[in-house]
Amino acid sequence: MTITTPDWVQDAVFYQIFPDRFARSGRAGGSGLNLEPWDAPPTHHGFKGGDLFGVADRLDYLQDLGVTALYLNPIFASAANHRYHTYDYHHVDPLLGGDAALRELLDRAHARGMRVVPDGVFNHTGRGFWQFHHTLENGAASPYLDWFHFDPDRLRDRRQFAAYPDPGSEQALANGAGSLRALGYQAWWDLPALPKLDTRTPAVREFLWDVARRWIEFGCDGWRLDVPQEIDDDGFWREFRRRVKDADPDAYIVGEIWDEAGRWLRGDQFDAVMNYPVAQACLGFFGGDRLDLAETRRAGGYRDLQPLDAAGFAARIDAELGRYDPRVTRSQFNLLGSHDTPRFVTSVGGDRSALRLATLFLFAYPGAPCIYYGDESGLAGGHDPYCRGAFPWDESAWDHDLRAHVRRCAALRRDHPALRRGAYQRLYAQDGVYGFARRLGGETLLVVLNAATTARTIDLPLPAGVRPDAVLADVLDGGAPTVAVAGVATGLRLAPRSGVVLGVSV
């Protein structure tokens, strides 16, 4: 099968937004709301009142940063601040401003050439979802009986479901009984608030495919798919792709899969996945012995996280570059952290030099880089809920040097097509230093990163096809040029915990 991915993605710079925590507009949800103070520590259940009007009002900020695409955590009606507990897939949550707020955000973003990709939660719903509620009320008599996985014994005996578990049901869950027995229905990871849909049921499949197409036709630019591997059905995802791509051939479909995902990336299901393996490699190399392993391993996919030396990092990156078709690799969703992980700067013990190095690497690596909201200003936070703190709009709280670095990285990627579309070649990996080349047409860029705590002076071999006496210009910071001798950039000096990008014409 021919693999095709949306051409715009490899040029994109994404910005992930947790809508309740990014920006309040004062235009959503009505007055007198019981909201947490914006600057108070986040909690599992509290709401801070960020909304989509607020996102639209901050597009100047995002565009100035270099952002060209938004990934929004779930926006549809839900009784949770993270909105993975959907109760109405056909309407945007009123606390986020409803459908009108999404319409305004899409129109204002598209006018700037920015894309908007929402989160799609299709494996499970919230307890307030109509079809689930209907079955709780009516048991085996409900027309929606086969939309979920129910315990037939409870249905037959008309025993009460434990959607809000009593102590006995909670104890049964704790003892490993499983949600089907303990609650009377199957719940995602046995969490009572998340009843799992039965996607074998034709009506469920049609419902979800219709939702997917509906919001693409509304103007969304793709879907980020929550836990899609738990709908273990290639036929479901093939039809999902067909419906979405019929509505917009340029729509981006990216799955949340934390490890090897080749099954879904053959051209008939997803365009890409969230590239957590590269994020983990960046934590291991740039974080090194600064890693807070106890905190970071709380993210499920990071349980085997370890510090990496340059050779270990190179091996991980080589493996990822060879894992998928190059068209998929150039469309991967590359990130350093998300709402499901401790923030990068917290994971590395507060060392912002690690975040600067990792950011430069990510913006020079194949695929679309993503900034997790607030990382550019130095926002810290451990595992959920602390990685979901409110954006600090008081500029006195920002790390302005870090934000300027992120802007430079985005501008560098924008101005040099080789960083977005060029071939990748590893050049150097030893003594805490990793270097690689990106090449496209007549442009070659050399990216060299020193993760060591001391200065390094290296002899960097030039890739074939570059003049052996080439002059290498510092295109990141405007430093003094380097002159190669006999195909080697001899005596290239790198300050501790620093990176350089050198440009050369073939």
Side-chain angles (χ1 to χ4, degrees), residues 378-446:
L379 187 60
H383 200 64
D384 172 24
Y386 303 108
C387 56
R388 305 173 181 185
F391 188 97
W393 287 109
D394 178 358
E395 295 186 24
S396 67
W398 294 359
D399 181 332
H400 290 276
D401 290 340
L402 177 59
R403 185 176 183 278
H405 176 73
V406 174
R407 290 181 73 242
R408 283 198 304 275
C409 290
L412 189 73
R413 184 177 179 86
R414 179 196 66 217
D415 294 342
H416 295 278
L419 294 180
R420 308 191 308 269
R421 296 170 175 265
Y424 187 105
Q425 180 184 351
R426 192 228 299 182
L427 300 175
Y428 196 94
Q430 60 187 44
D431 298 328
V433 177
Y434 179 79
F436 60 96
R438 298 296 308 274
R439 307 182 64 180
L440 182 68
E443 182 181 47
T444 298
L445 293 176
L446 312 180

Side-chain angles (χ1 to χ4, degrees), residues 16-164:
Q16 179 185 349
I17 291 175
F18 193 90
D20 183 63
R21 308 292 164 77
F22 185 62
R24 286 178 183 169
S25 71
R27 298 169 57 194
S31 60
L33 296 174
N34 177 33
L35 300 176
E36 290 182 343
W38 189 255
D39 295 329
T43 63
H44 282 294
H45 299 289
F47 288 77
K48 292 190 178 294
D51 58 72
L52 298 188
F53 289 124
V55 177
D57 290 341
R58 300 293 181 169
L59 292 179
D60 281 344
Y61 170 86
L62 296 170
Q63 193 164 45
D64 176 72
L65 191 62
V67 171
T68 67
L70 306 180
Y71 154 42
L72 304 176
N73 283 111
I75 59 175
F76 304 112
S78 170
N81 58 35
H82 49 72
R83 296 182 171 85
Y84 285 94
H85 298 34
T86 313
Y87 68 77
D88 187 348
Y89 288 85
H90 289 295
H91 292 288
V92 174
D93 196 305
L95 288 173
L96 296 181
D99 297 356
L102 178 59
R103 176 78 278 146
E104 180 171 318
L105 173 58
L106 288 171
D107 290 346
R108 292 172 66 178
H110 290 164
R112 297 167 181 258
M114 299 172 72
R115 314 272 181 156
V116 180
V117 176
D119 217 321
V121 188
F122 300 132
N123 173 70
H124 49 263
T125 72
R127 287 175 289 212
F129 183 66
W130 169 248
Q131 288 83 349
F132 184 73
H133 171 73
H134 198 282
T135 308
L136 293 188
E137 293 287 335
N138 296 286
S142 173
Y144 302 109
L145 181 65
D146 57 356
W147 279 56
F148 295 89
H149 305 265
F150 290 104
D151 177 3
D153 291 341
R154 292 209 189 205
L155 289 170
R156 183 183 63 247
D157 299 338
R158 296 189 62 80
R159 288 187 290 131
Q160 185 177 10
F161 293 100
Y164 294 88

